[in-house]
Amino acid sequence: MTPTLHSLPDDDKHAVLRDDIRVLGTLLGRTIATERGQATFEWVENVRQLSVAHHRATGEARVQKNAEFEAAMRGQSIETVLDVVRAFSYFSQLTNIAEDVHQNRRRRAYVSAKSTPQVGSLAHTLEKLSAKQIPAAQINQFLGNISVNPVLTAHPTEVQRQSVLTCQRDIAKALVQRETNADANIDLQRGVLTLWQTAMLRLTKLRVIDEIENGLNFFKLTFLKEIPALQRSVEVATGNAALPPLVRVGSWIGGDRDGNPFVVADTLQYAVHRNAEVVFTHYLEEIHALGAELSMSSRLVDVAPSVLALVEAAHDPSPHRQDEPYRRALTGLYARVAATATKLVGHAPARQPHATLAAYEHVAAFRADLQALADSLDAYGSALIVNHRLRPLIRATEIFGFHLAPVDLRQNSDVHEATVAELLATVGVCADYTALTENERTHLLTQELSHARPLSSAYAHYSERTNTELAIFRKAKALRDQFGADALPHAIISKAQSLSDFLEVAILLKEAGLFTEGAPSLRIIPLFETIGDLESAPEVMTEAFTHPLYRKWLRTQDDLQEIMLGYSDSNKDGGYLTSIWSLYQAQGRLRDVFAAAGVKMRLFHGRGGSVGRGGGPSFEAITAQPAGTVQGRIRLTEQGEIIASKYSDPELARRNLEALLSATLEATLAPESAHPRAAAFEQLMAALSAAALKHYRGLVYESEGFDLFFRQMTPVTELAGLNIGSRPASRTASIKIEDLRAIPWVFSWAQCRVMLPGWFGFGSAVESLISANPNAMTELQTMAREWPFFKVALANMGMVLSKSDMGIAERYAALAQDDLREKFWPRIREDHARTVRAIETITQASLLDDNPTLKRSIAHRFPYLDPLNHVQIELIRRHRAGETDERISRGIHLTVNGLSSGLRNSG
């Protein structure tokens, strides 16, 4: 009997992965030899051998290998360099594909072997809840109110073109088929060849509408099918078929105008309209497919009167379907959905309906017709047929409506302030609003919000900024009237710092007619981003909850207030340790403020892909939140390359969505009990954070010349020319770190393999702590074992440190002028060594001993990343020396692409 994958020894379980990587590498080598010649292939192979030797070397031997690499790259023609870059970039991508396919393979093996459910799965969470004796009735009641919302953003760290992502999906499909079909090798070879012949780089900068289309691809690929399937699996597992939608995916793309001047009223309209077009296309395709499948004859099965009524309303004249009531009914549903699409967005379906029928007034009417078909099939022995396509379609209408995904509005508080100031000045209410104190602002805005008088006038002249802001809100009003409130439910305030920031948004909503019965129609959501903002957030929310008008508004919104927490800017502001500690403390204090006010809390975590921007495994991050802060409701951003890595493959997407749902369930119903030494742990953590903050701020913000060193050592300047997003990299023309966006800050440190935002300051902080109290190490070790928050923090730092490489990073440091390098590089290198020592001493293990999957992945891929770093350094050197060959700039961007793919969570 052939052993199953699950029954094999652990090393053998991964033999098939190694074989997949070998096959893909061989096919890539053949492609290079055929396309670029044998000499190029041999040169690439020479570089590969140099890289493997470099990766295995240590100490002085590694320094020597570095020198050999540098010598090998120097003097090579740009054509040869570009071939090397493309070869190793594509090998990284192919390794990613093989690993993703293997993850799915392993998961299927676990399920088929009926093994102990894996952590993060719904089955594991339900078992854990059962072990804690939580009744099924309580779980079902909780699921009736759960809300899990990943939100796609257009934050630019995804460097892959959609054409390349399509090639990757084709290769993954062929790799899966190869397990059972020898002919799939031809498809695999064809896929690798197509990938090689497809340009990695975009010729033009992405526009907002391009980002909208990119985001919609993930709905087409996964969300429209996998979220209803996940919903069904929960219903089956819990025996509850009446659950409301558990998971909904939102979007910022087209509505997030914080720092993006290209997001205007027209792009908001484009986003909402295209969302609707995609969901209508899905519904029409599913109805058409149902028409092919539901061939039941009324001569053989009974049919409910409700279906006969739909048949009558369909006016289907075909003589071939006279005894096929479900097909006839579906022709009517198709015609009505087509009419609805035409009415709302002018969308003409690819297949024209048989007749022009009345549009649906709302999605509930469409759902009711589908439910009538399902009820009839259920009643007359066809329940198995219902579960295949019809029930998922009904679930899809509940989840996606006629709008597909809610689009959030987001803008910086400074822009809101300036817009309201201009309105008040123009109408003669207040000549200089910005000069008022916070109490004066709050009083004035409260007065204006207490009556219906508008501040804006069609006869007044406003600045372009004010006209743009007013146009956005007015467009939001029109779109909500057209598609319903769920299409545009939220207004997010970046850099929120005071109650007046909330009231300014309310003024703008009121001006656009976005008030219902004296209250804002959209939820106003403050985003607290910096360390200072996080510290003051509880006081700001206390003021809001005690403000009579604001509290009255909340009562009209089910007494629910959402708070967004910024991981990226808090990290850039205070470093990794202080950022996560400030976030942890803010959540606990906000929980208490909300409880005292009798307001329900929903936290929105603004996480990026990298650890330096709040990244890391989502399940562990959610379950490590302070007890009582998840409350069955969570939103979190999905950004950059993380969107493709999580959601481009349906099976991986399903698993990631399931992990979010399971974590929310577990964190709410089975949170970790308060540790007996919680107060001592938190006191020690506060001391660590204070020391880490001092070291971090001392380097990044308080050392003269560091901003210049950063720009010389890293490729941040070169990144500005990479066509990876519509948003400018900096808020101003300044080169100061505080004016740089968090994404290029983190992304640049990842490219040069330092990963500084994910660890700097921790090692020095631990040494300072131990120096003052030698017994503190024992306490830190206990914290690492017994406190989930600290355990996750160490695991995330270990992950990011394992992807760093100080030998390669030192070569980047050589790009900086001598005095700056001598001033700053030793501090970075030494704190890196301290941090590695500290983590290994605290955990009493080597880096990644707790994450064998990542450890194996790094062993597979990193020897093939090193050449990309060496080439990038050489090309940056040539570029900064004044060489004007356009291919040099292209080569730098190709290395950025390859390194981002290989590191996987670098932005």
Side-chain angles (χ1 to χ4, degrees):
M1 181 177 177
T2 304
T4 65
L5 183 63
H6 184 75
S7 67
L8 293 170
D10 191 64
D11 191 54
D12 289 344
K13 292 173 188 176
H14 305 295
V16 64
L17 170 60
R18 293 192 296 271
D19 184 58
D20 283 347
I21 293 173
R22 179 190 58 78
V23 168
L24 290 170
T26 299
L27 290 175
L28 179 61
R30 289 176 187 168
T31 300
I32 294 169
T34 302
E35 294 289 300
R36 301 297 295 159
Q38 186 64 24
T40 298
F41 168 73
E42 290 175 358
W43 171 243
V44 169
E45 179 61 17
N46 177 54
V47 172
R48 186 190 70 81
Q49 292 174 3
L50 271 174
S51 179
V52 171
H54 168 266
H55 200 75
R56 291 174 178 170
T58 57
E60 287 301 317
R62 195 147 205 253
V63 174
Q64 178 60 34
K65 293 298 178 185
N66 256 334
E68 290 179 23
F69 239 128
E70 187 171 358
M73 287 296 109
R74 280 242 166 104
Q76 291 297 324
S77 70
I78 188 62
E79 290 87 355
T80 300
V81 170
L82 291 179
D83 283 334
V84 168
V85 172
R86 295 182 71 231
F88 287 97
S89 295
Y90 281 134
F91 185 80
S92 291
Q93 292 180 19
L94 294 173
T95 303
N96 289 348
I97 294 168
E99 289 183 344
D100 289 345
V101 167
H102 190 60
Q103 281 188 48
N104 290 337
R105 182 188 291 131
R106 290 292 306 275
R107 182 171 174 80
R108 289 193 297 270
Y110 267 95
V111 172
S112 64
K114 294 182 171 56
S115 305
T116 302
Q118 293 176 300
V119 173
S121 68
L122 179 65
H124 180 272
T125 293
L126 291 176
E127 280 193 3
K128 183 171 183 177
L129 296 179
S130 177
K132 288 181 173 284
Q133 299 183 324
I134 297 174
Q138 184 180 348
I139 295 172
N140 278 327
Q141 181 181 14
F142 168 78
L143 288 171
N145 296 289
I146 196 171
S147 174
V148 178
N149 306 124
V151 180
L152 307 186
T153 80
H155 286 57
T157 57
E158 173 55 79
V159 295
Q160 301 286 6
R161 297 177 60 215
Q162 282 298 322
S163 299
V164 172
L165 293 173
T166 299
C167 289
Q168 293 173 356
R169 287 192 293 271
D170 291 342
I171 292 169
K173 183 178 178 180
L175 202 59
V176 171
Q177 293 173 342
R178 179 174 170 265
E179 298 175 26
T180 56
N181 181 4
D183 292 338
N185 284 326
I186 301 299
D187 294 334
L188 204 57
Q189 189 169 352
R190 184 188 305 114
V192 172
L193 176 60
T194 304
L195 184 65
W196 179 262
Q197 293 180 341
T198 299
M200 283 186 183
L201 299 180
R202 302 178 181 93
L203 294 176
T204 56
K205 190 172 181 65
L206 277 178
R207 302 165 298 169
V208 179
I209 61 173
D210 299 318
E211 294 171 334
I212 291 167
E213 294 299 329
N214 289 345
L216 287 172
N217 279 330
F218 296 98
F219 285 89
K220 299 174 192 174
L221 286 168
T222 57
F223 297 137
L224 281 164
K225 293 286 186 72
E226 294 304 320
I227 294 179
L230 175 60
Q231 178 90 14
R232 175 64 180 163
S233 70
V234 177
E235 292 169 352
V236 171
T238 59
N240 186 348
L243 293 175
L246 305 173
V247 177
R248 284 191 169 103
V249 176
S251 177
W252 277 9
I253 312 174
D256 176 15
R257 57 203 196 282
D258 178 16
N260 193 337
F262 306 111
V263 176
V264 293
D266 286 347
T267 50
L268 179 63
Q269 175 170 299
Y270 183 88
V272 176
H273 275 234
R274 282 294 294 131
N275 283 355
E277 287 178 10
V278 166
V279 81
F280 278 124
T281 297
H282 175 71
Y283 292 157
L284 291 168
E285 288 174 350
E286 291 299 290
I287 294 170
H288 179 75
L290 281 168
E293 295 171 3
L294 301 185
S295 56
M296 299 80 184
S297 170
S298 58
R299 291 176 290 165
L300 302 173
V301 297
D302 291 329
V303 180
S306 58
V307 174
L308 296 178
L310 291 174
V311 170
E312 186 69 24
H315 303 295
D316 182 1
S318 173
H320 305 296
R321 293 191 287 268
Q322 289 305 303
D323 68 331
E324 296 172 342
Y326 293 103
R327 282 180 167 172
R328 295 178 69 192
L330 285 163
T331 63
L333 268 64
Y334 185 95
R336 294 196 67 186
V337 172
T340 310
T342 300
K343 174 185 174 182
L344 288 179
V345 293
H347 177 69
R351 298 181 187 87
Q352 288 300 308
H354 75 287
T356 301
L357 299 183
Y360 285 110
E361 288 299 317
H362 43 72
V363 73
F366 172 41
R367 185 184 311 124
D369 285 352
L370 291 171
Q371 190 63 52
L373 299 180
D375 290 344
S376 178
L377 289 165
D378 277 338
Y380 298 109
S382 301
L384 188 62
I385 297 170
V386 175
N387 291 336
H388 172 60
R389 190 184 302 274
L390 181 52
R391 202 175 306 281
L393 178 56
I394 294 170
R395 289 289 177 261
T397 65
E398 295 171 349
I399 296 163
F400 302 108
F402 284 155
H403 64 283
L404 183 69
V407 177
D408 290 353
L409 302 180
R410 184 174 80 125
Q411 181 57 285
N412 195 290
S413 62
D414 291 343
V415 177
H416 294 149
E417 176 191 278
T419 303
V420 169
E422 186 172 351
L423 292 176
L424 292 169
T426 302
V427 80
V429 171
C430 179
D432 190 359
Y433 170 77
T434 60
L436 301 181
T437 66
E438 173 62 18
N439 285 339
E440 290 169 337
R441 290 185 183 196
T442 300
H443 178 71
L444 173 60
L445 296 174
T446 301
Q447 283 187 316
E448 289 299 321
L449 288 162
S450 299
H451 55 68
R453 182 189 67 189
L455 292 175
S456 59
S457 168
Y459 303 101
H461 295 285
Y462 301 107
S463 66
E464 181 180 356
R465 176 182 56 203
T466 293
N467 281 325
T468 298
E469 288 302 303
L470 291 174
I472 282 275
F473 284 105
R474 287 166 179 160
K475 181 61 68 176
K477 170 67 164 64
L479 292 168
R480 281 170 60 94
D481 290 345
Q482 187 176 3
F483 293 97
D486 289 343
L488 285 157
H490 307 124
I492 301 172
I493 313 165
S494 297
K495 199 181 169 186
Q497 297 175 328
S498 63
L499 175 59
S500 64
D501 291 335
F502 299 34
L503 301 180
E504 287 161 6
V505 173
I507 288 283
L508 296 175
L509 292 173
K510 176 171 166 280
E511 289 301 306
L514 287 168
F515 256 54
T516 304
E517 298 180 359
S521 303
L522 280 71
R523 290 192 185 278
I524 297 173
I525 302 172
L527 166 52
F528 298 106
E529 299 182 79
T530 66
I531 301 298
D533 292 346
L534 290 168
E535 290 174 349
S536 63
E539 287 72 28
V540 173
M541 295 315 303
T542 297
E543 186 179 1
F545 294 156
T546 55
H547 186 274
L549 186 60
Y550 192 82
R551 189 66 184 85
K552 175 186 171 184
W553 294 345
L554 283 181
R555 292 191 188 98
T556 70
Q557 298 178 341
D558 194 31
D559 275 324
L560 174 67
Q561 172 72 58
E562 184 168 309
I563 301 287
M564 188 170 182
L565 303 172
Y567 287 68
S568 302
D569 284 285
S570 61
N571 180 286
K572 186 166 73 74
D573 187 31
Y576 176 67
L577 197 70
T578 300
S579 170
I580 62 170
W581 178 235
S582 298
L583 287 158
Y584 187 89
Q585 287 184 300
Q587 290 178 71
R589 292 173 63 205
L590 284 167
R591 173 199 59 209
D592 298 340
V593 166
F594 275 65
V599 177
K600 290 176 282 191
M601 180 172 71
R602 179 167 63 203
L603 293 178
F604 185 3
H605 299 268
R607 290 160 47 96
S610 66
V611 167
R613 296 185 54 240
S618 297
F619 180 87
E620 288 78 3
I622 294 171
T623 53
Q625 299 302 311
T629 60
V630 177
Q631 300 182 4
R633 299 176 289 268
I634 193 166
R635 291 218 296 159
L636 69 164
T637 54
E638 301 281 25
Q639 303 182 15
E641 76 280 6
I642 293 301
I643 298 175
S645 68
K646 280 187 173 182
Y647 300 122
S648 59
D649 174 80
E651 196 168 351
L652 281 175
R654 171 82 167 273
R655 186 160 79 243
N656 280 300
L657 292 169
E658 182 180 345
L660 293 178
L661 179 61
S662 299
T664 305
L665 185 61
E666 191 168 314
T668 304
L669 293 182
E672 293 290 332
S673 302
H675 196 280
R677 293 187 51 74
F681 288 174
E682 293 187 6
Q683 184 178 0
L684 195 57
M685 187 67 203
L688 263 183
S689 172
L693 177 65
K694 179 180 178 181
H695 286 288
Y696 177 84
R697 296 284 302 184
L699 174 72
V700 175
Y701 292 105
E702 296 165 7
S703 294
E704 185 178 356
F706 183 79
D707 47 6
L708 183 58
F709 170 74
F710 163 68
R711 291 182 178 273
Q712 291 181 354
M713 176 182 170
T714 75
V716 64
T717 304
E718 288 74 17
L719 283 172
L722 189 55
N723 298 316
I724 60 175
S726 65
R727 189 185 308 266
S730 291
R731 292 181 172 88
T732 71
S734 164
I735 69 165
K736 293 181 179 179
I737 303 299
E738 49 263 51
D739 294 324
L740 184 71
R741 293 194 174 280
I743 292 168
W745 165 252
V746 173
F747 200 48
S748 299
W749 286 117
Q751 285 285 308
C752 59
R753 304 286 287 280
V754 178
M755 313 288 185
L756 181 143
W759 56 265
F760 188 84
F762 181 75
S764 296
V766 170
E767 285 200 359
S768 299
L769 198 68
I770 301 304
S771 176
N773 177 13
N775 296 323
M777 179 55 71
T778 302
E779 188 80 332
L780 291 172
Q781 290 171 340
T782 303
M783 288 165 59
R785 290 191 305 271
E786 300 177 11
W787 189 15
F789 166 77
F790 194 57
K791 183 177 182 179
V792 169
L794 294 175
N796 284 338
M797 281 191 287
M799 177 177 68
V800 80
L801 286 164
S802 70
K803 295 184 178 184
S804 65
D805 189 311
M806 289 296 102
I808 289 175
E810 190 153 13
R811 290 202 62 213
Y812 280 91
L815 294 170
Q817 61 196 57
D818 292 347
D819 58 329
L820 294 177
R821 180 178 66 255
E822 291 166 5
K823 181 177 181 180
F824 295 115
W825 174 244
R827 292 171 66 178
I828 295 173
R829 183 185 59 219
E830 289 161 13
D831 200 66
H832 181 275
R834 291 189 193 102
T835 301
V836 172
R837 284 197 305 271
I839 291 176
E840 292 187 336
T841 303
I842 293 169
T843 62
Q844 299 176 290
S846 299
L847 295 181
L848 293 187
D849 278 359
D850 61 339
N851 193 341
T853 299
L854 179 58
K855 195 169 189 175
R856 185 172 56 253
S857 175
I858 286 174
H860 286 149
R861 77 179 62 246
F862 276 38
Y864 306 100
L865 281 186
D866 295 356
L868 296 174
N869 285 114
H870 290 289
V871 170
Q872 187 179 87
I873 292 164
E874 173 63 19
L875 292 176
I876 289 173
R877 185 178 283 114
R878 294 186 193 185
H879 183 257
R880 293 179 182 176
E883 294 190 33
T884 57
D885 191 331
E886 183 272 337
R887 292 172 298 178
I888 292 175
S889 177
R890 191 190 335 148
I892 294 170
H893 292 168
L894 285 170
T895 61
V896 169
N897 187 305
L899 287 165
S900 175
S901 296
L903 293 168
R904 303 209 82 171
N905 60 343
S906 59

